[in-house]
Amino acid sequence: MAPLPRLTLEATGSGRTISLNEIGCPLVIVCHGQDTAQGAFEVNNAVRAQYPDASQVCIVSVIDLRQFPSMFHGMVKPELDKAYRKAAGKLPEGADPAEFVVLLPDWKGEATDALEAEGSTRDAVVVVADATGNIVGRHQGENPGPAVLELLAGVID
């Protein structure tokens, strides 16, 4: 098993700092672009149906935004904030959005590349790691929800 890369990213909306290799619980990373966000929704729905508590499984989205030059970041950031607020508004009463809606902008594509998630703007790439930060599997393509649940089955107590 390969370890997760040592990367720290700031979450949109909450401002939470996330160190991918130091989460401390099983981690699902959905790498996607603007046009492949549906994969993140599918994964979140499938995982939260089986593991509703964020302390059981942490789910983060690494959004590959390298196609946007820095002069366009000011136009993209409000859209990310809007997506965060929309997702946070759908959470059950009492759920902490900072724990359940973790959108990590990847402005230079460094995280996407380090996670070996090439093509995530064509098909979302899901990386699953255990609580110690070791990658146990990945999936790219159709039906990411069931595939992720299968990968998680081997790492959830």
Side-chain angles (χ1 to χ4, degrees), residues 31-97:
C31 300
H32 62 87
Q34 180 180 5
D35 297 331
T36 56
Q38 183 60 35
F41 296 126
E42 291 174 26
V43 167
N44 270 280
N45 289 338
V47 172
R48 289 296 169 230
Q50 191 157 338
Y51 306 103
D53 190 342
S55 67
Q56 291 175 291
V57 178
C58 182
I59 306 169
V60 303
S61 286
V62 172
I63 307 165
D64 188 347
L65 298 169
R66 72 179 100 197
Q67 75 270 22
F68 296 102
S70 59
M71 66 182 178
F72 292 109
H73 291 188
M75 293 183 338
V76 175
K77 287 177 183 176
E79 292 302 313
L80 292 171
D81 287 337
K82 187 167 115 182
Y84 174 82
R85 286 190 308 276
K86 182 178 179 184
K90 294 180 180 178
L91 292 174
E93 179 84 23
D96 181 0

Side-chain angles (χ1 to χ4, degrees), residues 5 8-10 15 18 36-37 40 60 62 65 72 76 85-86 88 99 111 120-122 127 138-140 152:
T8 301
L9 301 163
E10 185 176 317
I18 303 289
T36 56
V60 303
V62 172
L65 298 169
F72 292 109
V76 175
R85 286 190 308 276
K86 182 178 179 184
E99 295 293 321
S120 66
T121 57
R122 289 186 307 279
V127 178
R138 62 183 68 242
H139 175 81
Q140 185 171 17
L152 280 172

